[in-house]
Amino acid sequence: MDKVLSFHQGDLPLLISMPHAGLRLTPVVKAGLVAQAQSLPDTDWHIPQLYDFARELGASVVAAEYSRFVIDLNRPDDDKPLYAGATTGLYPATLFEGEPLFLAGKEPSAEERAEYLEGIWRPYHDTIRRELARLREQFGYALLWDAHSIRSHIPHLFEGKLPDFNLGTFNGASCDPQLAERLQGVCAEAGQYSHVLNGRFKGGHITRHYGDPANNIHAVQLELAQSTYMEEVEPFRYREDLAQPTQVVLKKLLETVLAWGQERYSR
């Protein structure tokens, strides 16, 4: 495979992961998609732009180049389901609304998907693993923020309107509960936005697999409603007027993660 990710190494003990921001397709996947999938509607749109302050903050950042329609980097390599009910797998077969993703008989072959696993999925996870190890070695601990977004209304996946800020800590298993409490406090102070902890989105494979508080690695997923920063219909336009106040909250959340880590590990 050619370039499958972008990576920036920061100088603070925080890694931000963006596994669903990619827009590239392999020729086979592009040729096989149904018409309504050609615009890549299930992308975590504009996440690198929304978090464009992260490098200045001092965080490391890893972002996918390939679309989740090729392979989902936030699913385990054995493709075991993470959620009860409707969900998508390592190799998505449906759109979020439940319709088939590929034209009949046009899905990638098992051999092609094996190449995606080795050439796209593994390098992304190797990068996360190496960077978390480096951070823990240098600072004694590591903080992982898995950055996502999704349309605020998807009846096939959840009822009603999704809260604006959806924090996931795998029901408390992926990070210290005091950190989760502080993050909830930041969201509560931002009264114009709704929030929830471990609601419909508790954290995917990345949060669950790498979060290891007993070994000083704390992971949090944020699933952000796209209505907070963009238009949720084609052409999925970024809205600076919406994004700016949302970025204020995002920056405060990341600053809170860093401050908590410094306090926790400087005792």
Side-chain angles (χ1 to χ4, degrees):
M1 306 295 297
D2 48 13
K3 184 182 178 185
V4 298
L5 60 87
S6 63
F7 176 64
H8 166 78
Q9 188 172 94
D11 54 13
L12 292 178
L14 172 63
L15 171 63
I16 301 174
S17 162
M18 303 176 182
H20 293 155
L23 298 173
R24 299 185 66 181
L25 298 172
T26 65
V28 171
V29 170
K30 184 175 182 179
L33 292 177
V34 298
Q36 58 266 43
Q38 296 288 339
S39 63
L40 310 183
D42 297 346
T43 300
D44 291 15
W45 289 101
H46 311 298
I47 286 292
Q49 182 176 358
L50 190 65
Y51 283 84
D52 62 3
F53 59 87
R55 294 189 181 192
E56 184 177 335
L57 196 64
S60 297
V61 181
V62 58
E65 292 285 335
Y66 277 87
S67 168
R68 67 187 304 163
F69 288 171
V70 177
I71 190 169
D72 192 329
L73 303 179
N74 202 28
R75 298 294 183 269
D77 58 0
D78 62 8
D79 203 16
K80 288 183 179 178
L82 297 178
Y83 293 99
T87 186
T88 55
L90 179 66
Y91 305 107
T94 62
L95 291 160
F96 283 168
E97 298 291 359
E99 298 94 344
L101 180 60
F102 291 100
L103 298 166
K106 294 293 186 178
E107 303 88 351
S109 67
E111 292 77 15
E112 287 159 341
R113 284 176 166 167
E115 291 180 3
Y116 304 160
L117 182 67
E118 293 302 318
I120 300 174
W121 190 97
R122 295 212 187 282
Y124 192 87
H125 285 269
D126 287 346
T127 301
I128 292 178
R129 188 178 64 255
R130 284 195 301 264
E131 183 62 4
L132 291 176
R134 184 189 73 83
L135 295 177
R136 190 171 63 167
E137 181 178 359
Q138 179 176 347
F139 297 98
Y141 66 101
L143 306 165
L144 173 61
W145 185 268
D146 207 38
H148 296 261
S149 73
I150 194 170
R151 296 193 303 279
S152 59
H153 288 90
I154 304 180
H156 184 65
L157 296 184
F158 50 82
E159 294 183 5
K161 185 179 185 295
L162 193 69
D164 297 319
F165 285 77
N166 299 265
L167 296 166
T169 65
F170 193 28
N171 291 327
S174 70
C175 81
D176 189 290
Q178 291 184 352
L179 173 56
E181 184 177 346
R182 289 200 189 184
L183 295 173
Q184 282 190 284
V186 172
C187 291
E189 290 173 2
Q192 71 271 39
Y193 299 107
S194 58
H195 72 279
V196 69
L197 174 65
N198 293 317
R200 172 59 178 82
F201 298 97
K202 304 178 188 298
H205 174 67
I206 291 170
T207 304
R208 302 181 192 198
H209 182 72
Y210 295 103
D212 187 4
N215 286 300
N216 302 327
I217 300 176
H218 302 267
V220 177
Q221 176 179 293
L222 177 62
E223 190 78 64
L224 188 65
Q226 291 178 343
S227 56
T228 62
Y229 70 93
M230 60 172 279
E231 293 177 357
E232 297 186 323
V233 296
E234 290 187 51
F236 308 115
R237 186 168 65 94
Y238 188 82
R239 288 274 302 275
E240 194 69 43
D241 59 322
L242 297 176
Q244 284 186 357
T246 300
Q247 286 179 306
V248 171
V249 182
L250 289 175
K251 188 174 183 181
K252 182 67 178 296
L253 286 168
L254 295 182
E255 289 172 341
T256 298
V257 170
L258 287 164
W260 175 86
Q262 188 173 31
E263 291 172 19
R264 169 69 173 79
Y265 291 97
S266 62
R267 295 172 186 171

